[in-house]
Amino acid sequence: MSKHVSHLSPELSILGDSLQVHLPSIVADQTSQEQSLLEPYARFRSDPINALQEFGLHLTGTGWRSYDKIVGTDIFYPGFSENMRAMVMRQGKLQSRISELAQKRVEVEIHEGLLGPKGLDGEVEEHITRRLARRRQLEEELRQVAEEWTDKMICKMDSKLFIRGAYYLCTQLLTRAYHQGIHVSSHEVMQLRAVAEKAAAKKQSIIFLPCHRSHVDYVSLQLVCYRLGLALPTVVAGDNLNFPVIGPFLQHAGAMWIRRSFGDDQLYATLVQSYMDTLLQNGYNIECFVEGGRSRTGKLLQPKFGILSFLLESVLSGRVEDAIVCPVSTQYDKVIEVDSYISELLGQPKPKEDLFQFLSASNVLSLKLGRVDVRFHEPWSLRGFIDQQRSRLVKSPSIETMYDAAFKRKLLTTLGYKVLKEINDVSVVMPTALVGTVLLTLRGRGVGKSELVRRVNWLSERVRAQGGRVAHFAESTTDVVVDKALAVLGPKLVGRVDDLPEETFYAEDRFQLSFYRNMTIHLFVSQALVCAAVYTKVKLGGGPEGQRISYTELTEYVLFLSQLFRAEFIYPTEGLRETLDSTLQGLERDGVLMAFRNNVTSNEIEYIELHTQERASGRENFDFYYFLIWPFIEASWLGAISLFMLTPPPHHTDTDTDIDAWVDYKTVQDRAQLLGKTLYHQGDLSYFEAVNKEALKNAFSRSEEEGIIAVQRPRGDGKVAPKVRLDLEWMPARDSDGGLVAEGKLWEMCERISQSRREGKNRRDGTTVRTRVLGLAELVGRDLFGDVVVGDEGPASSARRRRSVQMRAQL
């Protein structure tokens, strides 16, 4: 008999709205494992009379549907938009900026003689009059522009009738796709409501900071807030979603529109800051995504600091006393947009958001995609965070220090990563993520049902041991939960082999499944890095003594990998040594690795090897950990190998200016992806997901940070494309025939990464592999230098040219 999947906390399921439920009833039912608070809506097609009745209840605002007695600042009333626009325009910061910009323009016009000569005696007064008149004219024009932008930007919560209907419509659509509804923890929502009541009494805002995997994220959070009677947050959204029909609908439901990029537009940036100030000063809740855009890979992205910086500035400047921060995790059994994500990761351009695209994807609303889990971290004071960090980061706090640019950057960075960590802390691992992770970390081609269930049970226990949460399904057995996960994933992602003695499953679409595996990887990054380092010895074969790795070697290689993946993962806040030692202790306790010490009394580790218990079990747990990290190792290796394409062709090396040749950055990244696809299909790359453009972009960014490549990004309107070149110190050599030589710093880095790459059938032939891989790199990048751009960098460029001549002579 299968084990039951363990439960972590009581949950509530939001499926529909036909029942009125007050919050006290939630408290009364906290002893139950899960409660379905709301019954599904009647469908118009199958039960039109009841469906119309339910719709009427929402429009008339019967019972809780009225959304009258909310916790927070009043919203959804006639004249809301006009009131908000007026409050934004009255902001002192905005008015000062308008006056400043007008004065600067007047000074330019005076310098250019556009306001006429200053004149003598009586003409001076006339000149001053013209100047003041021109300044007032410019200020009025800038105010009109600011007011027009404000009207386009702000959310327009003017109609309670509208939001009632919108809630009904969105719940109908969402529960068609996610037929198991929205699940929340009763403890977390009770805690959130209590905090919201205290914040409302102080006229403070709650800043919801969710992760971002789907457009459903903001819909689900709005539905939860509406159902709990909390004031809906103003959702910060990119103006790419402001297309006809859908854009106005979202704006009247709580969305505000901002540009994806501000450029050097000082007025627009000040306008955004003024809007944030207005919202926070008046206690309006805000929702923005700390990652910026949606994650195409399933794991958290690195934080984006745009809107966060505005929110932090509001409190840091003193214009806002305080605000409450609430990190939010939204997890899915299946994400609607994954198909399009994979296309984008493989290099296809992102389609422009429009109504046709929205409607063409509407067929997913009839699918059975499982459920959505929304989890709330314990909210905390932004002012308290600032004070705590100031006392920690600054030895002698002062008013001047608070406005120091370096302190602000450090504070903003710490805030971003703190929020990401707390999102991970409350994230729930869904059944589809468990099944996907197991299928992608097995050596065999497929797996029997009983073994799949056993490994899902093992993984569930490992998740909980790491402090993670596993989604629970009342009293369902693991068999049942796995069946539900397989049904949601479907045959497109997980294949099934029929006519066998036991049900056998295999990963049909490994790329898509990697999205769900990446939802668990944050829990095991440390173990994966350690096992990858140990694998550098295990892959050499031989007896146990030959597969040992010294503690020093382990530390160095784990540090190397950690730096390699610093843009991929959110690491523990503890130092490397402390994290490494605690990870080793855990792996030793679980019987995966053995650590040998100098003597009985010493706690100093000398070397590490596979545990005898792990060898006896066929390395299945050890395999699990480094199978998790291998695709990222492959992607990093591909990123490093692709830099060989930046070596100028042999016929370019006769002049001393070619070394300064810049090539189009985007073209290089596209060619790197093409190189990866070629290497994969020819057997030199094990994982097709390693060619995804996000991983390659991270690899190139890391190379830029380390000075391996230089990137030239012209300022302005973005019409000039960025250029890239390889740094001289990393420039590969060529042999007498003009071929690339597997030597030098760049090749050494490739080899360093390769130490932990998975052994493949084509990788054991040494020189042949080097020749083939470098030959392919040169072939794919052959025409990059067909239209070079010679960098003009003054004395530095000249010095580089002189060094290039010397280097070529030496080579």
Side-chain angles (χ1 to χ4, degrees):
M1 183 175 180
S2 297
K3 299 178 182 178
H4 285 82
V5 177
S6 299
H7 314 298
L8 277 146
S9 64
E11 290 187 358
L12 312 174
S13 175
I14 301 175
L15 291 171
D17 296 89
S18 62
L19 297 178
Q20 178 179 356
V21 180
H22 298 288
L23 218 50
S25 68
I26 299 176
V27 180
D29 289 323
Q30 278 190 349
T31 55
S32 65
Q33 293 294 338
E34 181 175 321
Q35 178 189 359
S36 178
L37 286 182
L38 309 167
E39 297 300 321
Y41 280 129
R43 305 299 187 193
F44 279 97
R45 184 175 298 176
S46 58
D47 192 358
I49 295 178
N50 282 331
L52 285 171
Q53 288 177 339
E54 290 171 355
F55 182 61
L57 291 175
H58 278 275
L59 290 183
T60 58
T62 303
W64 63 269
R65 299 168 186 82
S66 66
Y67 198 59
D68 286 332
K69 298 178 180 179
I70 62 171
V71 179
T73 302
D74 192 26
I75 51 178
F76 293 107
Y77 60 84
F80 175 90
S81 299
E82 290 79 1
N83 186 38
M84 180 63 68
R85 182 167 55 247
M87 287 192 293
V88 173
M89 291 302 298
R90 284 197 301 266
Q91 285 288 333
K93 187 176 182 66
L94 179 59
Q95 292 300 322
S96 297
R97 179 67 72 186
I98 288 174
S99 297
E100 176 190 334
L101 293 174
Q103 179 61 31
K104 286 183 177 179
R105 180 59 193 169
V106 167
E107 291 173 357
V108 170
E109 292 182 1
I110 291 174
H111 178 74
E112 294 176 352
L114 299 178
L115 297 181
K118 291 184 179 180
L120 299 172
D121 300 328
E123 295 181 359
V124 172
E125 184 175 346
E126 181 182 347
H127 176 79
I128 293 174
T129 301
R130 286 199 306 270
R131 186 176 64 189
L132 291 176
R134 177 56 176 160
R135 176 174 171 173
R136 285 194 294 270
Q137 179 188 4
L138 289 170
E139 287 178 348
E140 182 58 31
E141 291 176 357
L142 288 172
R143 285 192 187 94
Q144 290 177 4
V145 170
E147 192 162 349
E148 181 182 341
W149 286 352
T150 301
D151 188 64
K152 292 179 180 179
M153 180 187 300
I154 62 174
C155 68
K156 300 182 176 180
M157 299 177 174
D158 294 296
S159 171
K160 200 155 287 183
L161 180 64
F162 172 82
I163 198 61
R164 291 170 189 160
Y167 176 87
Y168 176 84
L169 175 63
C170 291
T171 305
Q172 275 275 22
L173 295 176
L174 191 64
T175 55
R176 283 178 180 270
Y178 292 97
H179 61 295
Q180 294 171 10
I182 303 174
H183 290 238
V184 295
S185 162
S186 58
H187 168 71
E188 290 172 3
V189 296
M190 284 299 302
Q191 178 177 254
L192 174 62
R193 186 178 172 99
V195 170
E197 289 172 347
K198 292 180 181 179
K202 299 177 182 178
K203 207 176 181 180
Q204 292 176 350
S205 305
I206 297 178
I207 302 172
F208 294 98
L209 298 175
C211 57
H212 201 14
R213 291 192 173 94
S214 169
H215 285 314
V216 178
D217 294 337
Y218 32 80
V219 178
S220 59
L221 183 56
Q222 295 287 78
L223 293 180
V224 171
C225 288
Y226 189 103
R227 189 62 189 89
L228 294 175
L230 304 182
L232 297 189
T234 296
V235 183
V236 181
D239 59 4
N240 60 305
L241 292 175
N242 189 15
F243 50 86
V245 182
I246 299 300
F249 176 89
L250 295 176
Q251 192 171 19
H252 284 81
M256 62 162 284
W257 306 120
I258 61 169
R259 301 173 187 169
R260 305 296 288 184
S261 175
F262 297 178
D264 295 325
D265 195 327
Q266 297 180 44
L267 179 60
Y268 191 82
T270 304
L271 183 60
V272 173
Q273 181 67 71
S274 299
Y275 188 25
M276 294 298 106
D277 288 350
T278 302
L279 293 172
L280 294 174
Q281 287 166 355
N282 293 277
Y284 292 103
N285 296 336
I286 299 174
E287 175 187 349
C288 70
F289 298 101
V290 69
E291 302 164 275
R294 290 170 292 163
S295 170
R296 268 67 174 171
T297 60
K299 59 183 178 61
L300 286 182
L301 304 177
Q302 299 297 300
K304 298 293 188 297
F305 300 113
I307 292 297
L308 269 187
S309 67
F310 289 110
L311 297 172
L312 184 63
E313 175 64 23
S314 294
V315 177
L316 195 60
S317 67
R319 294 191 297 272
V320 175
E321 177 59 31
D322 197 5
I324 305 302
V325 176
C326 182
V328 183
S329 169
T330 307
Q331 303 293 327
Y332 301 85
D333 269 328
K334 196 171 186 180
V335 173
I336 290 177
E337 302 100 322
V338 168
D339 279 341
S340 64
Y341 290 170
I342 301 304
S343 297
E344 289 179 43
L345 290 174
L346 287 175
Q348 296 183 21
K350 177 184 175 183
K352 184 179 180 180
E353 310 282 2
D354 55 31
L355 182 59
F356 175 77
Q357 182 191 353
F358 176 82
L359 294 176
S360 65
S362 62
N363 63 316
V364 302
L365 299 177
S366 61
L367 299 177
K368 303 297 183 183
L369 301 179
R371 78 190 210 188
V372 182
D373 272 68
V374 181
R375 292 292 186 267
F376 300 91
H377 192 275
E378 181 179 358
W380 40 271
S381 162
L382 183 54
R383 170 66 65 187
F385 166 79
I386 292 172
D387 293 342
Q388 180 188 44
Q389 293 302 311
R390 185 176 57 172
S391 62
R392 186 178 70 87
L393 297 174
V394 183
K395 294 181 179 179
S396 55
S398 64
I399 297 298
E400 291 76 15
T401 302
M402 283 190 66
Y403 290 93
D404 178 75
F407 172 72
K408 284 185 180 180
R409 284 195 300 271
K410 181 66 174 177
L411 192 65
L412 187 60
T413 302
T414 305
L415 174 62
Y417 283 99
K418 172 181 170 65
V419 170
L420 290 181
K421 178 187 179 299
E422 291 179 350
I423 289 174
N424 273 337
D425 288 344
V426 296
S427 292
V428 172
V429 177
M430 307 299 284
T432 48
L434 294 172
V435 170
T437 301
V438 168
L439 288 173
L440 293 181
T441 52
L442 294 172
R443 280 191 178 276
R445 186 174 291 119
V447 61
K449 176 68 177 298
S450 60
E451 177 65 6
L452 178 59
V453 170
R454 184 182 75 84
R455 292 301 291 176
V456 166
N457 270 322
W458 175 86
L459 180 54
S460 299
E461 293 170 359
R462 290 296 89 217
V463 168
R464 287 188 291 275
Q466 289 299 116
R469 306 179 178 192
V470 179
H472 69 273
F473 283 77
E475 297 302 317
S476 298
T477 64
T478 308
D479 282 331
V480 173
V481 173
V482 168
D483 284 339
K484 288 182 178 180
L486 291 171
V488 169
L489 291 171
K492 185 177 178 181
L493 272 68
V494 180
R496 172 178 169 174
V497 183
D498 296 320
D499 302 324
L500 296 179
E502 183 186 18
E503 288 182 292
T504 301
F505 301 93
Y506 61 94
E508 176 70 47
D509 189 332
R510 301 183 71 89
F511 208 145
Q512 280 207 48
L513 277 179
S514 70
F515 184 93
Y516 301 97
R517 178 209 60 209
N518 287 344
M519 292 180 176
T520 67
I521 196 169
H522 66 277
L523 294 164
F524 306 110
V525 170
S526 298
Q527 291 87 343
L529 293 176
V530 169
C531 288
V534 174
Y535 180 72
T536 62
K537 301 296 183 181
V538 172
K539 71 186 289 188
L540 300 177
E545 294 80 6
Q547 297 180 13
R548 293 172 175 171
I549 184 171
S550 71
Y551 183 79
T552 300
E553 288 179 293
L554 180 77
T555 303
E556 290 175 353
Y557 201 75
V558 168
L559 176 61
F560 170 74
L561 292 179
S562 298
Q563 293 297 314
L564 204 62
F565 303 135
R566 62 178 177 267
E568 295 285 355
F569 305 119
I570 311 301
Y571 293 123
T573 54
E574 299 81 6
L576 174 65
R577 182 66 177 262
E578 185 178 347
T579 301
L580 179 59
D581 288 347
S582 63
T583 302
L584 282 174
Q585 290 171 12
L587 291 170
E588 195 171 10
R589 190 167 53 248
D590 295 339
V592 178
L593 298 177
M594 291 190 299
F596 292 85
R597 291 162 176 81
N598 289 330
N599 55 61
V600 178
T601 59
S602 173
N603 198 38
E604 187 175 331
I605 299 174
E606 185 176 357
Y607 59 87
I608 300 95
E609 68 176 52
L610 278 177
H611 201 287
T612 52
Q613 175 182 322
E614 185 66 17
R615 292 185 185 277
S617 66
R619 279 179 21 193
E620 65 176 3
N621 297 335
F622 179 74
D623 285 359
F624 167 81
Y625 290 122
Y626 64 66
F627 266 71
L628 281 177
I629 204 74
W630 264 346
F632 298 93
I633 293 174
E634 289 285 82
S636 294
W637 178 82
L638 172 61
I641 283 293
S642 64
L643 296 182
F644 278 89
M645 296 189 303
L646 296 178
T647 310
H651 63 276
H652 278 263
T653 59
D654 297 331
T655 67
D656 62 352
T657 58
D658 291 318
I659 205 69
D660 282 332
W662 298 81
V663 294
D664 184 78
Y665 196 12
K666 185 181 183 305
T667 303
V668 172
Q669 291 178 317
D670 291 342
R671 295 300 171 85
Q673 195 164 40
L674 178 60
L675 174 63
K677 292 176 182 179
T678 307
L679 292 171
Y680 172 78
H681 287 294
Q682 293 190 7
D684 290 298
L685 201 65
S686 298
Y687 294 91
F688 193 53
E689 67 177 280
V691 308
N692 84 76
K693 71 174 186 180
E694 287 296 322
L696 286 172
K697 183 179 73 173
N698 289 338
F700 276 90
S701 296
R702 186 179 58 251
S703 296
E704 182 183 0
E705 291 171 6
E706 295 177 358
I708 302 172
I709 60 175
V711 180
Q712 193 179 66
R713 294 183 175 86
R715 295 174 63 90
D717 56 9
K719 293 182 179 179
V720 180
K723 306 291 181 181
V724 63
R725 65 167 175 79
L726 196 60
D727 187 83
L728 285 178
E729 293 185 6
W730 293 81
M731 189 70 67
R734 291 186 179 275
D735 58 24
S736 57
D737 296 325
L740 290 171
V741 178
E743 295 176 358
K745 292 180 67 174
L746 184 56
W747 181 255
E748 289 172 3
M749 184 178 73
C750 295
E751 288 290 88
R752 182 74 163 149
I753 299 172
S754 287
Q755 288 179 340
S756 55
R757 289 184 70 210
R758 183 179 179 183
E759 279 293 354
K761 61 182 181 180
N762 294 328
R763 300 224 190 94
R764 299 182 181 274
D765 49 354
T767 304
T768 306
V769 172
R770 297 179 184 182
T771 304
R772 182 173 65 250
V773 170
L774 293 182
L776 284 173
E778 185 140 44
L779 175 65
V780 174
R782 176 174 294 169
D783 58 346
L784 285 175
F785 292 87
D787 189 15
V788 299
V789 178
V790 178
D792 183 10
E793 301 179 3
S797 182
S798 300
R800 224 176 11 252
R801 292 191 188 102
R802 289 193 297 271
R803 290 198 305 273
S804 72
V805 174
Q806 297 170 359
M807 181 177 291
R808 292 299 176 189
Q810 293 171 358
L811 294 176

